[in-house]
């Protein structure tokens, strides 16, 4: 297992992170998975044996049940010095006015609840889980700074912020001397490369790690599904799950065709090829992989050892390339001799 430094910190994390959105299976999360304590223990033990050193969860996953399952399995212990990441922001509770958002009240309350469910004294990475445009960022960051100083969390990160949200938060931290984000957890895959417009460049420029959620596009890039998936009513999307939204199914299946072709040539699985492509992108730190069973976990972990050739990457880039929005097409045409490494994440493919 390879380990990479997380952003502008000294913390090393494995290139594969175990995601636990499938743990619990309560409410709307039932369509994603329903991993119980017994299966969860098998999955966590296997991941730790393979060198995975980060488990990712959130208070919203099955309304805290995911955290409770992890807490029961680990029971206050950290085998393999495993790290735990969790998140807060989403509405959780009875629907009272302060049951969501970035207020000091909500963040501190939810952190303390997560610590109890996880049966631990400290959460290693605490993410702000989606944007809250109503709470001042200095209130959010001061609360997080307090939790770090109290020893309840170690590092902080954002999840699903836009580029300007991220920069505003980093500026606020610098202005007040608060803890700054060391990482962002973002959606990125061959099917959904929008993070190349702003989020990955911000990460390079500002020293943020990038943990990638849904790198298989909710399983659509695994090779399991075919063009007739929609008519056959297959997968979690048939049950009403909407992440990620697929705007162009023809493009999706064209990507899957190339994945299958490369996988056959390399004698690996399409999922491993898709994951290896993401893991090889600039500024990516780790892939958050979730699974309904141990076989899926094993298959995904093997992606960490798959190496793609430059020609294979070019084939995948070509079939999945983003359109050039303004101002990027203008920059590609007129600024190509003045580009930074952050700029090149998006523009290199378009300027040759």
């Amino acid at each position: 297992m390879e380990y990479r430094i997380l952003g502008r910190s000294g913390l090393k994390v494995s290139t594969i992170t175990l995601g636990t959105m499938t743990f619990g299976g309560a409410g709307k999360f039932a369509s994603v998975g329903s991993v119980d304590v017994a299966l969860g223990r098998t999955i966590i033990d296997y991941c730790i044996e393979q060198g995975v050193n980060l488990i990712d969860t959130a208070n919203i996953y099955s309304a805290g049940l995911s955290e409770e399952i992890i807490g029961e399995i680990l029971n206050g212990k950290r085998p393999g010095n495993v790290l735990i990441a969790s998140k807060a922001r989403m509405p959780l509770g009875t629907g009272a006015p302060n049951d969501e958002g970035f207020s000091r009240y909500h963040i501190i309350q939810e952190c303390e609840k997560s610590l109890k469910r996880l049966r631990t004294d400290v959460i290693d990475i605490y993410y702000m889980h989606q944007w809250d445009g109503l709470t001042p960022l200095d209130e959010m960051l001061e609360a997080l700074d307090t939790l770090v100083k109290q020893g309840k969390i170690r590092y902080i990160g954002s999840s699903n912020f836009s580029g300007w949200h991220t920069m505003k938060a980093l500026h606020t931290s610098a202005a007040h001397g608060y803890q700054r984000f060391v990482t962002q957890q973002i959606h990125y895959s061959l099917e959904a490369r929008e993070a190349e417009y702003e989020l990955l460049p911000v990460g390079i420029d500002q020293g943020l790690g990038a943990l990638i959620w849904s790198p298989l596009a909710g399983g659509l890039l695994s090779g399991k599904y075919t063009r007739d998936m929609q008519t056959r009513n297959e997968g979690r999307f048939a049950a009403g799950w909407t992440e990620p939204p697929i705007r162009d199914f023809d493009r999706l299946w064209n990507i899957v065709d190339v994945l299958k072709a490369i996988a056959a040539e390399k004698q690996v699985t399409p999922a491993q090829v898709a994951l290896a492509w993401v893991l090889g992108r600039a500024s990516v730190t780790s892939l958050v992989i979730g699974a309904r069973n141990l076989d899926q976990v094993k298959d995904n972990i093997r992606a960490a050892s798959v190496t793609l050739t430059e020609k294979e990457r070019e084939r995948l880039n070509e079939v999945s390339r983003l359109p050039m929005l303004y101002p990027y097409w203008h920059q590609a045409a007129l600024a190509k001799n003045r580009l930074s490494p952050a700029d090149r994440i998006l523009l290199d493919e378009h300027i040759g």
Side-chain angles (χ1 to χ4, degrees):
M1 182 64 65
E2 180 188 354
Y3 300 89
R4 296 178 180 177
I5 292 287
L6 186 65
R8 195 185 296 173
S9 79
L11 189 69
K12 288 186 176 182
V13 300
S14 49
T15 53
I16 300 294
T17 294
L18 175 62
T20 61
M21 191 168 68
T22 58
F23 283 34
K28 68 177 183 178
F29 291 94
S31 63
V32 180
S34 55
V35 173
D36 60 13
V37 172
L39 178 55
R41 190 184 306 279
T42 299
I43 289 173
I44 287 176
D45 287 349
Y46 178 81
C47 286
I48 292 172
E49 288 171 7
Q50 297 302 308
V52 172
N53 78 337
L54 179 57
I55 298 173
D56 181 86
T57 187
N59 64 346
I60 194 66
Y61 296 165
S62 292
L65 186 53
S66 173
E67 290 181 325
E68 289 179 9
I69 290 172
I70 294 167
E72 184 171 347
I73 292 168
L74 296 181
N75 196 25
K77 301 179 178 64
R78 297 291 188 100
N81 295 315
V82 68
L83 307 168
I84 297 175
S86 194
K87 314 176 188 74
R89 147 66 177 88
M90 302 297 193
L92 194 67
T94 62
N98 292 306
D99 278 351
E100 66 175 309
F102 289 160
S103 69
R104 181 182 294 105
Y105 175 94
H106 184 69
I107 289 173
I108 291 175
Q109 171 184 268
E110 290 306 315
C111 179
E112 291 175 347
K113 288 181 179 179
S114 288
L115 288 168
K116 289 178 181 178
R117 287 191 290 260
L118 289 163
R119 303 188 192 182
T120 186
D121 295 327
V122 60
I123 294 168
D124 298 288
I125 306 170
Y126 202 46
Y127 289 102
M128 295 295 93
H129 199 184
Q130 188 49 272
W131 178 245
D132 173 5
L134 299 181
T135 303
L137 280 174
D138 54 351
E139 178 177 345
M140 175 196 80
L141 288 161
E142 188 274 336
L144 293 171
D145 192 74
T146 297
L147 289 169
V148 171
K149 290 173 179 174
Q150 290 176 342
K152 294 177 180 177
I153 58 178
R154 290 195 170 107
Y155 298 94
I156 64 173
S158 64
S159 181
N160 305 313
F161 281 34
S162 69
W164 76 266
H165 293 154
T166 303
M167 287 302 300
K168 185 176 181 180
L170 293 172
H171 170 76
T172 303
S173 290
H176 295 278
Y178 296 146
Q179 297 291 320
R180 76 191 299 272
F181 293 148
V182 299
T183 187
Q184 50 184 339
Q185 188 172 130
I186 57 178
H187 182 221
Y188 185 48
S189 72
L190 273 163
E191 194 285 323
R193 295 178 59 178
E194 297 93 336
E196 294 173 18
Y197 288 128
E198 293 288 341
L199 294 176
L200 291 176
V202 164
I204 285 275
D205 187 71
Q206 296 296 312
L208 298 175
L211 274 79
I212 307 303
W213 65 265
S214 201
L216 291 176
L220 294 175
L221 298 176
S222 66
K224 175 182 176 181
Y225 301 108
T226 59
R227 279 176 165 79
D228 60 354
M229 179 194 81
Q230 293 147 281
T231 58
R232 293 171 60 180
N233 207 32
E234 294 178 331
R236 72 177 70 165
F237 297 89
W241 193 260
T242 58
E243 293 184 3
I246 306 300
R247 299 181 179 89
D248 186 343
F249 273 94
D250 285 339
R251 175 177 174 272
L252 167 68
W253 300 128
N254 290 339
I255 294 170
V256 172
D257 288 342
V258 177
L259 285 172
K260 288 181 176 179
I262 293 174
E265 295 163 8
K266 299 180 78 68
Q267 297 186 326
V268 297
T269 66
Q272 290 168 7
V273 174
L275 294 173
W277 180 87
V278 179
L279 198 52
R281 299 296 287 178
S283 86
V284 169
T285 309
S286 182
L287 309 183
V288 182
I289 61 162
R292 297 169 182 256
N293 56 62
L294 184 59
D295 287 341
Q296 289 176 340
V297 172
K298 289 180 177 180
D299 186 76
N300 290 346
I301 285 179
R302 292 189 190 105
S305 61
V306 174
T307 301
L308 299 177
T309 67
E310 195 59 38
K311 287 186 177 180
E312 289 165 343
R313 287 193 168 276
E314 288 174 4
R315 289 165 64 186
L316 292 166
N317 291 345
E318 180 65 31
V319 75
S320 64
R321 184 166 294 139
L322 290 170
M324 279 292 92
L325 305 178
Y326 175 81
Y328 307 112
W329 58 263
H330 206 272
Q331 294 169 1
L334 300 174
K336 54 188 171 185
N337 64 326
R338 304 283 291 184
L339 298 178
S340 71
D343 298 314
R344 291 187 176 279
I345 289 177
L346 174 70
L347 297 181
D348 262 358
E349 287 183 41
H350 298 269
I351 62 177

